[in-house]
Amino acid sequence: QLQLVESGGGLVQPGGSLRLSCAAAGFTLNYYAIGWFRQAPGKEREGISCITSPGSNTYYADSVQGRFTISRDNAKNTVYLQMNSLKPEDTAVYYCAAEGGWFHSTVQSMCRSRRPTDFGSWGQGTQVTVSS
């Protein structure tokens, strides 16, 4: 499995921005889905964004569409989540997760669905708090 480490969380005011990073190591398969998930207390874990490798197809949940942008730096094996126009309801622990596949279509499907149980490698999480 991959080893994933998130960073970049913190406290920000409503309307502010943060950039999260997910550094990954241990790639062995040709195709991967790398997703961002978040979980607030008492709520289900939500798959908010995902990107495929290779190909860089991107996917977003309706709750973050237009505000968040996922990207990848292949040279650094790092995936980013740029979060703009943050709202108090964005407060959660944010996780990056990844899963490999034999085919591009497989990882595309995982990115579209963003089911936590489909992703086998997880980072430790980073806290994002949006409050005035």
Side-chain angles (χ1 to χ4, degrees), residues 30-85:
N30 288 336
Y31 301 102
Y32 284 88
I34 305 96
W36 284 100
F37 296 78
R38 67 185 183 187
Q39 189 163 26
K43 296 185 178 180
E44 295 182 346
R45 187 164 295 190
E46 177 188 16
I48 58 172
S49 190
C50 195
I51 188 168
T52 59
S53 179
S56 296
N57 301 113
T58 58
Y59 306 84
Y60 300 93
D62 290 343
S63 57
V64 306
Q65 179 71 51
R67 299 187 297 122
F68 293 8
T69 303
I70 191 170
S71 62
R72 187 183 72 243
D73 185 333
N74 289 333
K76 297 181 178 179
N77 284 331
T78 300
V79 172
Y80 302 96
L81 185 69
Q82 179 66 46
M83 305 187 296
N84 298 326
S85 301

Side-chain angles (χ1 to χ4, degrees), residues 4-5 16 23 26 35 38-39 63 70 80-81 87 91 113 116 124 131:
L4 305 174
V5 179
R38 67 185 183 187
Q39 189 163 26
S63 57
I70 191 170
Y80 302 96
L81 185 69
K87 305 173 181 179
T91 296
S113 300
Q124 82 286 356
S131 176

